[in-house]
Amino acid sequence: MPKVKITELEQQLDPLKLPRHIAIIMDGNGRWAKSKHLPRISGHAMGAKRVSEIVTAASDLDIKSLSLYAFSTENWSRPQPEVSFLMSLLVKYLKKELKNLIRKDVKMVVSGHIEVLPAAAKNVINQNIETSKNHQGMVFNLCLNYGGRQEITDACLELAKQVKAGKLNVDEIDEHRVGQHLYHPALGDVDLMIRTSGEERISNFLLWQLAYSELYFTSVMWPDFTKIDLLEAILAYQKRERRFGGI
Ligand code: IPE
Ligand code: IPE
Ligand code: MG
């Protein structure tokens, strides 16, 4: 990777205006592979390498939270061999990533219904979460079998249970309380949402947390996305004027 370019971009960053929470829809693995006449799974394999690089890069840039969309509740509709490959790739990637989490003091959490994932995947996920739970650096939120609608529905269900059990009054339900029942409330709202591959849609990602996020779309395919692209996205974000409904 061209170090000069990285240094040049880093020097342009305003350290006081860094996005606290960055979320990325890592898209375009299949098209990347197709453009190289490779099977789709090669795109996923290269994509997994990028995950590791971007976790390191974001942590080095002192980003507080990084959410990465790895598998959606809708991705089960893909051909079974592709889903199986993604699950085995996940296991391989997470085993390798543990060293990096330790080295970088990164805390890993997961959003999504992981209870239905294959046992091997669940085991390594739980190991990484457990080993990194007291880490003080960036929080890396891996979104797996994740759906934004599911997350909000789960929060509603939890609140309904509390009401039914007489622990909560209906009129105590407000936006703050709903937000506190999302999977990981401490991550906070997303400041910058990046989607690779040229698609300009949300695809059921972090619907609640994206309410006022700045959206950044790039035509770069995920397997080609490097620290340089991340820095360019952050620099674009720093040029935006965020208004939150004000003037
Ligand atoms: C993103 O790449 C990875 C996952 C959704 C798991 P895709 O597999 O969606 O790649 P394209 O969109 O087909 O190019
Ligand atoms: C979104 O990408 C999900 C992930 C990146 C995990 P998709 O490729 O599944 O989204 P659509 O189908 O193009 O909206
Ligand atoms: Mg896609």
Side-chain angles (χ1 to χ4, degrees), residues 59-208:
S59 150
D60 289 347
L61 288 168
D62 207 22
I63 300 303
K64 302 297 174 216
S65 312
L66 176 71
S67 292
L68 297 182
Y69 205 3
F71 195 87
S72 73
T73 46
E74 288 74 32
N75 287 146
W76 296 107
S77 66
R78 295 187 177 206
Q80 201 272 329
E82 179 166 339
V83 171
S84 292
F85 181 84
L86 284 168
M87 293 301 153
S88 59
L89 187 64
L90 175 71
V91 173
K92 201 171 134 193
Y93 156 74
L94 285 172
K95 278 188 180 156
K96 237 170 124 187
E97 192 62 18
L98 185 57
K99 274 197 213 93
N100 209 22
L101 299 179
I102 295 167
R103 197 163 50 94
K104 293 287 168 186
D105 202 25
V106 168
K107 172 177 171 170
M108 190 182 106
V109 297
V110 160
S111 291
H113 281 255
I114 59 163
E115 68 279 3
V116 300
L117 298 187
K122 274 188 286 196
N123 290 343
V124 62
I125 290 166
N126 289 330
Q127 194 195 341
N128 285 16
I129 292 173
E130 182 59 27
T131 310
S132 68
K133 71 179 181 203
N134 293 320
H135 288 179
Q136 299 295 309
M138 186 180 80
V139 179
F140 164 33
N141 174 35
L142 186 58
C143 300
L144 278 173
N145 191 20
Y146 173 85
R149 288 180 173 175
Q150 185 68 59
E151 181 175 21
I152 296 170
T153 305
D154 286 347
C156 294
L157 268 169
E158 179 52 36
L159 292 170
K161 280 182 195 157
Q162 291 179 15
V163 170
K164 197 176 172 202
K167 291 180 187 153
L168 181 70
N169 288 321
V170 168
D171 53 14
E172 285 174 312
I173 299 176
D174 56 11
E175 283 188 17
H176 177 73
R177 201 174 289 269
V178 175
Q180 286 305 310
H181 287 81
L182 297 174
Y183 297 144
H184 297 288
L187 292 167
D189 283 343
V190 173
D191 297 301
L192 168 62
M193 197 287 288
I194 301 169
R195 182 170 188 149
T196 58
S197 90
E199 305 298 350
E200 301 191 354
R201 55 177 171 262
I202 303 298
S203 302
N204 202 13
F205 193 36
L206 301 172
L207 297 178
W208 182 278

